[in-house]
Each structure stands twice: as C-alpha cells, then as structure tokens.
Amino acid sequence: MDLYLLLHSVLMHISAAIIILIYIPLSIPVKLFVWAVVKPLRKEDLRGKVVLITGASSGIGEELAYQYAKKGACLSLVARRKQALEGVAAAARERGSPDVLVVPADVSDPEQSRRAVDETVAHFGKLNHLVANAGTWSICFFDEVTNITAFTKMMDVNFWGSVYPTYYALPHLKASKGKLVVSSSIAATAPASRLSLYNATKAAQLRFYETLRSELGSEVGITILTAGFVESEMTKGKAIQRDGEVAVDEEARDAQIGVFPVARVEKLCEAALNGIRRGDWYVTWPSMYRPVPLIACLAPEILTWQSYAMYNAKKGSPPLSQRMLDATGAKRFYPPSLRRHPGIKAERTADREEDAASNV
C-alpha cells in the first residue's frame, strides 16, 4: 500500500510540473485568441430568451435585469419584496424587455424556489438563463457574535438560496442548452477579517458551481461572478449584526471597505452580461481583484497578514482601514448611492411584512 501511495504521489507531482511548465505556457496564446477573436464572434443573442433572476429587487440583481432587458430578454424577477419587484419590472419593460413576470418568493425555502421556477416555465414555456443572485452578509469578528445560531440564515440565503433554484431549474436549462449565472464574491478566495461566515458561504457556493461545471460539461454553461466591493444594499451597510438581527451599520461598512474602491453596479453588470454572452467561466470586477486567487494560491500568508493589519485593532481604537479612510478622505469617491440612501433603514419593517405575505 505504501508503494502504491508513493507511486500516485510521484505521478501527481510530475503531472503538476507538466501543467506548470508546459501546458500553461502553450495554452496562454490559445486562450487569448479564443477570448479576443472567437468568443466575441459567438456572443449569445438574448432576444426572446427567458431569464430568471433571484434577488432582483435591488443591487446587482436589479441592474442585471435592466441589462438583460436592453438586449430584449424576457424576465422572471424573484425576491421577497413584491412592491420593489414591481418597480424593477416596470423599469425593465421601459428598457426593452417584451415580457416581465414578478414572482415574490424567498429562495432560501426549497418549495418557494420550486414555485418560482414552475411559475416561470408555466408563463414563458421555457427557461434559458438562471441568475442565482440573492445574498446577504455580516460584518463582525467571529468571537464577537452573540447569537451564533442566527447566522444559519446567511448560509440559507447565500448557498441554499442558489442551490435550490438551480436544482429545480436544471432540467429546463438542459432542455434549452441554457446557462447558470452565479453571483459569488472575491471573498470566496480572500480571507478578509470580520467576514468569516460570509466568506465561508461564498466559498461553499463557489466550489459547488465549479464542481457542477465538471458534472454538466457543455450541457449547461456556468458563469461565476466574483465581484469585489460593488454598490448594493450590502455596501450601503445593510447586514446581519452580531446579535443576528438585520440592520444598517454604516460605521462598520466604512471600516470594512476602507480605501478600497466601490464599483458602480452598472459597470459590473455590463461586464457581467458581456462575459455571460461570451460564455466566460468567470467574471471578476473590478479588475483589480483578478490577481487575488493567484496570490491566495501562491502566497496565502500575504493576504492573511494584510487582512490582520487592516482590520484588527486594540479595543477602543479604530482599525487601520478606518484611519486610512479618514486620513485620505477616500469616502468622497464612494458612489453617491452609498452616501445617501433614504429609506433603507425603514426597509426592515417592509421586509417582514412582505416576507409574511410571500409565505401565505
């Protein structure tokens, strides 16, 4: 047995050396040619395609709905807040979508996910794209959490809220040779302090869809969005707090973002839809985050040190990220929506009311 294990170990190391020294150098010009010449010529025509978007009431989901609408796609918009969805639907119609269906549902519930897919297919007769976008986050050190069991809701939304719709949509996507689009995060590969549980949910999500890609082959295309800081309700400060309640904490948000730029959601979604239509495996935006997975692989200690230095501080003093933000005045470069967002604090009550209505 020891000899058998040694043989496999030797073979694996030889294979790794061949990949690094031979395959990667030879594949780079081929990949560049495909990316620059072949894929642009084969961009998917979205006119008349049916696209189901979860988490479509705000942020990335809302803007993706508008980007798809401009290309003539039919939309099924899914989220808990019906009133917000109706507003997005009206705006999507104005931007060119020929037909928009509103489906109030909580995708962290498997039956509601099934219903959302079934209603979409019943209305349109097919499904071409599923955009699994619903998500939530938290900003606090793990040892400061006071209600650990409440954080299961984040895994329910970020991971299962993607898996459930995918499970029910997959037969229809196979039939249409369609696509799965997943809104993950660069946090899936970067160990940023104060985001431990959020990072874990996104890592699980990322690995699930990478594995699913190896199972499906060319039956269903999968594009994973690994975004950095992008304007949304989350970067406006809405998060699960250490006691498990959802609230807005702009001070914690400022300390987490620090001097890092926050991208406009329109720019992310333009890049995302371009990549989706080309069939890209990953879309990372802003582009400054693209080296992060490579650094995490080759020098994980650098990311760990940087995160510790930025966010850990003695009690009673702000972290380095906050001090840098204050010293540079970088907050003035935040998108306007992060500096003024009337009504977001009142949404907690509206969320509960619409959650109750959607569960009836």
Side-chain angles (χ1 to χ4, degrees):
M1 178 60 74
D2 290 344
L3 182 60
Y4 187 66
L5 290 174
L6 177 62
L7 175 62
H8 277 270
S9 178
V10 170
L11 289 174
M12 184 60 71
H13 282 80
I14 292 174
S15 298
I18 291 172
I19 290 171
I20 294 171
L21 299 176
I22 300 176
Y23 171 77
I24 291 178
L26 291 177
S27 68
I28 288 175
V30 176
K31 289 180 178 179
L32 287 173
F33 176 78
V34 170
W35 181 82
V37 178
V38 177
K39 285 189 174 183
L41 296 175
R42 299 176 58 188
K43 277 189 178 180
E44 182 181 6
D45 184 355
L46 296 174
R47 287 175 295 181
K49 297 292 180 69
V50 176
V51 181
L52 189 160
I53 304 175
T54 70
S57 59
S58 65
I60 294 172
E62 176 183 359
E63 183 58 35
L64 273 176
Y66 299 152
Q67 296 293 335
Y68 271 107
K70 291 176 184 177
K71 301 299 181 182
C74 299
L75 302 174
S76 176
L77 305 180
V78 180
R80 295 171 302 158
R81 295 173 290 185
K82 183 178 180 180
Q83 185 174 357
L85 283 178
E86 295 286 3
V88 176
R93 293 187 187 99
E94 292 176 358
R95 286 166 171 77
S97 179
D99 192 4
V100 183
L101 176 68
V102 167
V103 185
D106 181 351
V107 291
S108 67
D109 180 286
E111 283 306 306
Q112 293 189 51
S113 291
R114 179 193 57 76
R115 175 174 58 81
V117 172
D118 288 350
E119 289 187 16
T120 300
V121 176
H123 181 84
F124 294 106
K126 62 179 180 178
L127 179 61
N128 299 102
H129 288 198
L130 168 66
V131 180
N133 169 73
T136 186
W137 76 335
S138 65
I139 310 172
C140 65
F141 288 107
F142 180 71
D143 60 4
E144 293 178 350
V145 171
T146 59
N147 182 9
I148 188 62
T149 58
F151 283 80
T152 58
K153 71 179 74 172
M154 189 155 54
M155 181 62 84
D156 289 340
V157 175
N158 293 358
F159 180 71
W160 291 109
S162 298
V163 173
Y164 291 146
T166 297
Y167 178 79
Y168 294 110
L170 204 51
H172 307 289
L173 295 175
K174 286 182 178 180
S176 65
K177 289 288 185 180
K179 290 180 179 176
L180 276 164
V181 180
V182 187
S183 185
S184 186
S185 170
I186 199 64
T189 55
S193 295
R194 308 202 312 166
L195 297 176
S196 57
L197 295 171
Y198 174 75
N199 293 350
T201 65
K202 287 299 181 180
Q205 182 193 47
L206 176 67
R207 189 63 69 229
F208 171 78
Y209 283 98
E210 289 177 330
T211 304
L212 194 60
R213 182 187 285 134
S214 71
E215 295 181 3
L216 295 174
S218 60
E219 282 188 279
V220 176
I222 298 179
T223 297
I224 302 174
L225 313 182
T226 51
F229 290 121
V230 178
E231 59 178 330
S232 67
E233 286 189 346
M234 290 193 286
T235 49
K236 288 177 183 178
K238 189 175 182 181
I240 301 174
Q241 306 302 311
R242 65 193 65 182
D243 60 0
E245 290 294 315
V246 178
V248 174
D249 187 339
E250 294 183 9
E251 184 177 343
R253 182 277 311 272
D254 288 350
Q256 194 66 38
I257 295 175
V259 295
F260 290 107
V262 180
R264 298 297 299 266
V265 69
E266 295 89 350
K267 293 295 184 181
L268 165 68
C269 292
E270 287 173 4
L273 195 63
N274 194 36
I276 293 164
R277 294 178 64 204
R278 287 198 310 254
D280 292 351
W281 281 19
Y282 301 93
V283 176
T284 301
W285 189 263
S287 58
M288 59 172 282
Y289 292 102
R290 288 176 186 165
V292 170
L294 181 63
I295 297 171
C297 177
L298 300 179
E301 65 277 8
I302 296 296
L303 290 180
T304 299
W305 173 83
Q306 179 263 341
S307 182
Y308 185 89
M310 288 287 289
Y311 298 114
N312 292 62
K314 294 180 180 179
K315 288 186 177 180
S317 62
L320 176 61
S321 58
Q322 182 69 63
R323 299 200 303 271
M324 291 173 64
L325 180 67
D326 295 339
T328 60
K331 192 172 180 178
R332 68 182 183 275
F333 297 112
Y334 285 6
S337 64
L338 269 67
R339 289 178 275 139
R340 53 176 186 275
H341 40 85
I344 189 172
K345 294 180 181 179
E347 288 176 4
R348 291 181 62 195
T349 303
D351 287 353
R352 291 180 181 133
E353 290 174 352
E354 293 203 34
D355 285 350
S358 67
N359 287 324
V360 172

